[in-house]
């Protein structure tokens, strides 16, 4: 089994660390995680931030989109990730309808992600339409990361998974929304699937870190869905993703090898098995034989008694 997580190899990454990285022009690295082992690996690798995204609905739970994800599901995965992390900054996504219906819901659910989920901050989607929720959550002492551009919880309103902010009007609206979120107190903003030039303009204009996903190299940092990075999600891969591994194929290969090893009795081999003390085994066989049971030894088969 896996070893216990390593002790922290540096100070915990905070909102202030991320803001200082922007100030010093140091790129900020984020990836998603939804489980303990991935969180441990990411933390050890030195990632700045881990997002427990509601993308878990698609890549972990097999939903068509992120809309069915509940607070319970988010909390379950947030807790698993938090157990594996000692250094990285942890952001929990607010799922659909956990902040849209009322400001009271928004504050209560954001609080749960910190109090019960072990997160350091929350992320929610939307601009000017979410200012009241953003301000109230921040007033409760909870850091909020904004999310603009292609906001998956509005997939039906947006008419699909399309690049946003392409026209002058749409781009201007996006810049305004980013400024509104900064003004409302967000400590960072994710920009998803927007033209690189527009993301660069926003990153230059705002003082807070801009984390891009499908938004070009001009952002202050990058985030991707870890399942896409590892090639673990077989359904589709967005064009802005760079695959750093093809673990889905590797997983299939390993499973097939295991199945044939078991069928051919190549697994478990001697090194995967425990043996009895020879004298204890001889005594046992004698006892069994005295009881009238015959023992048929066969080196390649488990012991059989008749
Ligand atoms: O849910 C998620 O993983 C996200 C990222 C795509 C930014 O929101």
């Amino acid at each position: 089994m896996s070893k216990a997580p390593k002790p922290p190899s540096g100070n915990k990454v905070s909102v202030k660390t991320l803001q200082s990285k922007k100030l010093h022009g140091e790129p900020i690295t984020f990836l998603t995680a939804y489980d303990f082992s991935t969180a441990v690996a990411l933390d050890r690798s030195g990632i700045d931030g881990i997002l427990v995204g509601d993308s878990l609905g698609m890549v972990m739970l097999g939903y068509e989109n992120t809309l069915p994800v509940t607070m319970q599901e988010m909390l379950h995965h947030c807790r698993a990730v938090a157990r594996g992390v000692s250094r990285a900054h942890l952001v929990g996504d607010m799922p659909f309808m956990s902040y849209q219906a009322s400001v009271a819901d928004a504050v209560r659910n954001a609080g749960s992600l910190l109090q019960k989920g072990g997160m350091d901050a929350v992320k929610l989607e939307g601009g000017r339409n979410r200012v009241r929720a953003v301000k109230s959550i921040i007033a409760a002492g909870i850091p909020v990361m904004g999310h603009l551009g292609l906001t998956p919880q509005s997939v039906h309103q947006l008419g699909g998974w399309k690049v946003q902010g392409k026209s002058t009007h749409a781009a201007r609206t996006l810049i305004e929304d980013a400024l509104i979120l900064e003004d409302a107190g967000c400590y960072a903003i994710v920009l998803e699937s927007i033209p690189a030039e527009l993301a660069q303009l926003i990153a230059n204009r705002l003082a807070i870190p801009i984390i891009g996903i499908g938004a070009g190299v001009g952002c202050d940092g990058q985030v991707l869905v870890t399942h896409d990075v590892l090639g673990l999600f077989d359904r589709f891969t967005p064009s802005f993703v760079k695959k750093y591994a093809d673990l889905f194929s590797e997983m299939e290969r390993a499973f097939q090898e295991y199945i044939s090893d078991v069928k051919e009795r190549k697994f478990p081999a001697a090194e995967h098995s425990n043996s009895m003390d020879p004298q204890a085994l001889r005594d046992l066989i004698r006892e069994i034989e005295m009881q009238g049971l015959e023992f048929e030894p066969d080196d390649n088969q488990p012991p059989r008694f008749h």
Side-chain angles (χ1 to χ4, degrees):
M1 283 309 288
S2 64
K3 289 182 278 178
K6 269 190 187 169
S9 55
N11 292 335
K12 173 87 182 163
V13 179
S14 68
V15 163
K16 295 273 174 262
T17 322
L18 300 178
Q19 289 176 338
S20 137
K21 282 196 165 222
K22 163 138 190 168
L23 210 60
H24 294 98
E26 272 179 59
I28 298 166
T29 55
F30 263 84
L31 281 171
T32 63
Y34 319 104
D35 67 282
F36 173 79
S37 306
T38 310
V40 171
L42 281 173
D43 203 39
R44 284 188 192 169
S45 70
I47 198 94
D48 292 318
I50 296 178
L51 169 67
V52 185
D54 62 354
S55 49
L56 69 84
M58 298 171 76
V59 301
M60 296 293 289
L61 306 177
Y63 298 143
E64 275 299 307
N65 52 45
T66 59
L67 301 185
V69 178
T70 64
M71 271 301 292
Q72 280 71 25
E73 286 166 340
M74 286 306 304
L75 287 171
H76 176 76
H77 289 276
C78 284
R79 280 193 288 263
V81 168
R83 277 180 218 122
V85 171
S86 50
R87 187 185 160 277
H89 175 67
L90 291 176
V91 184
D93 232 349
M94 299 201 65
F96 183 54
M97 292 320 291
S98 69
Y99 57 97
Q100 288 90 340
S102 76
V103 166
D105 274 0
V107 176
R108 201 174 309 111
N109 287 321
S112 287
L113 287 171
L114 269 65
Q115 198 171 45
K116 301 182 187 162
M119 297 290 102
D120 302 320
V122 301
K123 174 169 85 56
L124 57 81
E125 298 181 7
R128 64 198 73 200
N129 51 344
R130 297 290 162 239
V131 169
R132 282 183 58 236
V134 167
K135 284 187 173 169
S136 304
I137 296 169
I138 294 169
I142 301 167
V144 177
M145 177 181 270
H147 184 160
L148 294 171
L150 172 51
T151 44
Q153 291 174 16
S154 310
V155 62
H156 296 307
Q157 207 169 41
L158 299 176
W161 312 88
K162 295 178 185 157
V163 177
Q164 301 296 304
K166 282 167 81 169
S167 69
T168 310
H169 172 72
R172 197 183 314 112
T173 306
L174 242 156
I175 295 175
E176 282 168 12
D177 276 335
L179 288 166
I180 287 169
L181 287 182
E182 180 176 55
D183 198 45
C186 282
Y187 74 96
I189 299 175
V190 166
L191 294 180
E192 179 164 352
S193 267
I194 69 167
E197 301 84 349
L198 174 58
Q200 170 92 70
L201 281 171
I202 295 175
N204 290 348
R205 181 86 184 266
L206 269 63
I208 58 174
I210 299 300
I211 312 295
I213 172 164
V217 75
C219 298
D220 304 305
Q222 300 292 330
V223 61
L224 282 174
V225 169
T226 289
H227 280 58
D228 292 335
V229 169
L230 297 179
L232 261 176
F233 187 55
D234 198 32
R235 244 188 232 165
F236 70 89
T237 308
S239 59
F240 54 73
V241 166
K242 179 172 174 187
K243 262 196 195 185
Y244 288 81
D246 187 5
L247 294 194
F248 196 85
S249 310
E250 182 56 11
M251 209 158 58
E252 279 186 325
R253 185 206 56 72
F255 294 156
Q256 281 160 7
E257 198 175 321
Y258 166 77
I259 290 165
S260 73
D261 273 5
V262 170
K263 285 185 174 172
E264 292 167 25
R265 296 196 186 278
K266 286 189 189 160
F267 176 84
E271 67 266 33
H272 310 120
S273 307
N274 296 303
S275 299
M276 245 177 121
D277 168 62
Q279 185 56 51
L281 180 60
R282 277 194 294 277
D283 291 348
L284 175 70
I285 292 168
R286 197 176 321 113
E287 266 178 37
I288 289 168
E289 285 171 350
M290 277 164 61
Q291 285 163 13
L293 293 167
E294 258 177 52
F295 175 59
E296 203 181 78
D298 179 344
D299 285 348
N300 299 317
Q301 298 290 328
R304 286 183 209 286
F305 299 97
H306 303 280

